[in-house]
Structures are given as structure tokens and as C-alpha cells.
Amino acid sequence: MKIDIKTIEKLENLSMVEIEDKEKMANDLHEIVSFVEMLNELDTEGIEPTFRVLDVTTPLREDEPLKTEIIKDVLAHAPKAKDGYFIVPKIIES
Amino acid sequence: MITLKEALTLSNEELKEIKKEINKKAKEKKELGGYIEQFLDTELSEKGEGVPIAIKDNINVKDWEITCSSKILRGYVSPYNATVIDKMLNARLSPFGRCNMDEFAMGSSTETSQYGKTLNPHNPNCVPGGSSGGSAAVVGASLAIAALGSDTGGSIRQPAAFCGVVGMKPTYGRVSRLGLVAFSSSLDQIGPITQNVEDAAILYNIIAGYDKKDSTSAPVDNEKIVFDENKKLKIAVIDNYIDEADKDIKNAINDVIKELEKEGHTIIHKNLMNSKIDVATYYIVATAEASSNLARFDGMRYGNRIEGKDLKETYKLTRSQFGEEVKRRIMLGTFVLSSGYYDAYYIKAQKVRHLIKNEFDKLFAEADLVLTPVTPSTAFEFGSKKDPLEMYLSDIYTIGVNLAGVPAISLPIGKDKKGLPIGMQLIAKHFDEQTLFNGAKIVENIVKEAK
């Protein structure tokens, strides 16, 4: 799999991260991806992908409301906040 | 430095003196760069009145600035305690000092920190390891009684080995991850970095246990570690790993194995798959999870927002504060999860992860413990790993443990010709931390007697 500058541009848009030296990033990723392709030599026919290493399922608990002061602390250190809300840039373009 | 065990017998007044002393020494040895406060020229951050424990900068302590050594989180003040911090405060331990680390725990040398270098306490030209390099360096330099680190692919065990201290990664699910800034959620665990094995067990006993607020915390019994040094163990030695390691490491490990046999432990010889397979699997699984976890850093609710002309530009400017290695891993993770490549890379790696777990299951059907080197070499020099892949390969013997979710410990067993510490790794089956600590204590006794 060849990773070129076009792939990097696509990944930049997917991840909202801008890369300054796109050529270097393409080369780095190409080297790493070529390395991880060694996994293709392993026979994994019929093997389940393991997403958890332990044989326990996600436990459930009652959804009980708790009183907490945390909202005040969170907003006090937010980049911008007012009247109990985060202030964010306009999301819907006119 | 006084041990954790001894420190727990002191009064708060006496502990205050020790904290004063640590602050004084941290200023004198500023160039170590183990504490973030050493870069900021401030007193060490402090919480509570008990025994001071240094905290890696990715574990939330209420009212502390927590940054994961990243510019993007500067100004973030934690509104809550991680579960491990609450448990420590209840046990008379007091978070004291923020430890430098690789940015978002992505690295093996602490060189990706946005604050600056942490030096190896045994040689200032060498790295302390990473990503918990600050935690291991302050314990190794007698600037801390003990520390907390986090381990995703070896980030506790490798720096512990490089700095000549003990580092332990618990079974996945044993210690709550609530309040640990997530890097790779299926691999991350918090664990102790200490001066000796007994202290590691003391700190482990305090932080372990089920947490209903962490859905990946394991609802299992949590019996405290009580050492049994007279147990005779069956230990599987991984020959192909030991053969690949540097000569001094190989010799030191073989000396320990000989002594273990003399003391009546049973040694069996085994091989594991090429360890490069572990590395390849890890860099797919870990970066995939990281690219998803790090999506939350958008500057909207916390951290350092950089305003642009619209929302998209604000996101991009804010996220441009990530360092190069973090960006590289976000790119790689985004790639392996993207449409068209997901099955070929991500699903394939998850299947190989199953094979790796099966290998450990097979070993533990025969043996109580598995014995390997921690690293192929001792601490390397700053700037000596020229490309990312070379750096990734320095974690070759620690990564399988995270992929399989088993517990492991790294402890010092000697020094190489250059005077740098050599570490050895013991691995146990899921939730058998008791046998892991027994084995580590037995090895520590052997090393002490040999001195």
C-alpha cells in the first residue's frame, strides 16, 4: 500500500489535523504501514477479532442522579463560558 | 530516599519535612526535568497531608493543571480526582509533583514532551525511557518516594528498567482508569513505580479494585498481596527474546535463572512468535484507539483554544498544537480505521491480537510465570533513534503483555559495562498479581545476595 500526499490530505480532513511537511508524513506512514503489513503473513482464518481481553461483559448499573459541584469547576476553566454554557464558534453557516 | 513502607509510619509533621526536602532537591537538580515543576520553576503541586507520591501528568488530580505534557491542554485545571487519587488520599498518600512524560504517553524516551527533556539519573546523555520517564527518573534520582505511571505498551516497565527502579503493570481491568487521560483504552493501565518490590505491592494494594464508574473495570475479588517468598515456582523462560538482547542483559538474566534453579524453582524453556509481530499489531490497535480518543481535544470545553475565522479553522488551529509524534499517530490511526482499509489493517490486527493472547494462555497452562528481558538494550542516548519505526522497536518485549491484558513487573537485576541499569520482566496470568509479586520478591532477594 503506497501512502502519498493525496492520502495525507484525506486523513487531514478526517482528523482535523493539519500537517506541515506532508511529504515527510507520507514517507513516515509509508514506512510504518509497510512494516505492519508483515501481519499478512500470519494465517488468521477462522479467528475471531479480540476486542476485549477479559471474558467479562460491560456491567450495567442503575442510573441514579447525584448532586455534584463539578459543573461549576468545569465551566470556570473552560476556554469560553457564560451563564452556565460553553461559548463555541457559530456552527450553522448562514 | 526513605521507602514507602517506612514513610507510612511517619507523622504528618515528619512528612512535611520530607516534602520540604524534596522541593529543595528538585530545585537543586533542576536539570533532571523529571517533574514538570522543574521546567516551570515553581514548588511541586500538592494535595493532602500524607506520604508524597509523584503523579504522571495524565492522571487527574482535582485543582491541578494536567496537560499530558501537551500544549493543547495548557490551562486545563482538573475538576475531579481520578479514582486512584481518591484511593490514595483515603490511604494517607498525598499526590506530590507532576511527572514529565511523552506527549499523551506517545513515545519511549520522554523526548516528545512539550516541556523538555528528562535526563536518565544514571547518565545525563541517556534517555530515562518513556512514556512514564519523569515518574521513573524522580524515583531513580531519589527525588520521590514512589510514583504513579501508566502503561499502554511498556510505558511503566521500560522507563523503570532504564532508571533502575521497579515498575508494575496490573492486569487490564484491575485498576480503575477513571481519570486517566485515555490513549489506547483497551491497553492502558495505571501502575506503581517504586524503589523496591515491597513498595510496589503496597502502592498496588492501595490503587487496585473494582470501580463502578469505569465500565472496563473488572468485577473480581481484590485480595491484598501478602508475600510468600518460600513458594516454589515454575517459570517459563523465553529463549528467543533473551538471545536477541544485548550481551550484558543476556548474561545478567542467565545469572538470575541459574540462581532460581539452585533455589529449587523449575525452569522451562519456551519461544514466542517474532516480537516484531507484537509491535506491528500494537501500532495498529493503539493508534486506531488514540485517533478516536484524541478527537475530544477540540478546544471547545477545555484546554487551549486558538480561534480561527470559523469552526473548522478553530478546530484545525487548536489541534495544530499537537506535537509531531502525536500527529503521526493520529494520521496512522485514522488511516487504519478509514473506509477501505479497516478490514485489511484494523480487523487483521485484532485477529493477530487473539493469536498473541492464545500464546500467553498456552504458556500459563504450563507455567506460573514467564520471564523475559524488558528491553533489547539498556538506556539509549538522546537523539539516537533516527526514525519513528526504530523508536517503536525499542518496546519490543513489553507490548505483548498489554495486547494480552496480563500483569507484569520490571525490576532491576544489575548494570551493564557502561553502568546503566538492566531490567528483567516477569509476567503472570490474568489477575494473578499475587504470584507475580512473589516471583519478583524472590528475584529481588537473589539480586541482593549477589551484591
Side-chain angles (χ1 to χ4, degrees), chain B residues 392-429:
Chain B
Y392 296 173
L393 290 169
S394 69
D395 279 342
I396 205 150
Y397 305 133
T398 47
I399 276 173
V401 163
N402 300 76
L403 290 167
V406 290
I409 192 165
S410 155
L411 72 160
I413 57 164
K415 286 192 172 171
D416 71 359
K417 274 191 220 71
K418 292 173 281 179
L420 290 167
I422 295 172
M424 194 185 87
Q425 174 169 250
L426 291 173
I427 309 166
K429 64 173 181 280

Side-chain angles (χ1 to χ4, degrees), chain B residues 73-201:
Chain B
L73 275 175
R74 288 209 186 166
Y76 166 70
V77 176
S78 176
Y80 72 116
N81 282 332
T83 299
V84 292
I85 300 297
D86 277 333
K87 281 176 176 270
M88 279 175 41
L89 290 166
N90 287 336
R92 240 187 116 236
L93 302 185
S94 139
F96 193 72
R98 296 163 53 198
C99 297
N100 199 23
M101 56 185 278
D102 279 297
E103 185 180 7
F104 285 105
M106 296 178 184
S108 311
S109 63
T110 313
E111 284 168 294
T112 72
S113 163
Q114 299 298 308
Y115 292 102
K117 273 186 196 174
T118 297
L119 308 184
N120 188 304
H122 298 269
N123 181 339
N125 298 319
C126 292
V127 302
S131 65
S132 309
S135 300
V138 293
V139 176
S142 293
L143 284 181
I145 294 169
L148 285 188
S150 68
D151 191 315
T152 306
S155 279
I156 286 176
R157 290 159 286 149
Q158 182 254 26
F162 280 8
C163 295
V165 296
V166 174
M168 187 255 178
K169 184 205 88 81
T171 307
Y172 182 78
R174 181 65 102 176
V175 174
S176 169
R177 293 187 300 112
L178 180 95
L180 170 69
V181 179
F183 159 15
S184 179
S185 309
S186 77
L187 303 167
D188 298 338
Q189 268 289 285
I190 297 172
I193 294 180
T194 57
Q195 301 169 57
N196 60 53
V197 173
E198 195 177 5
D199 279 1

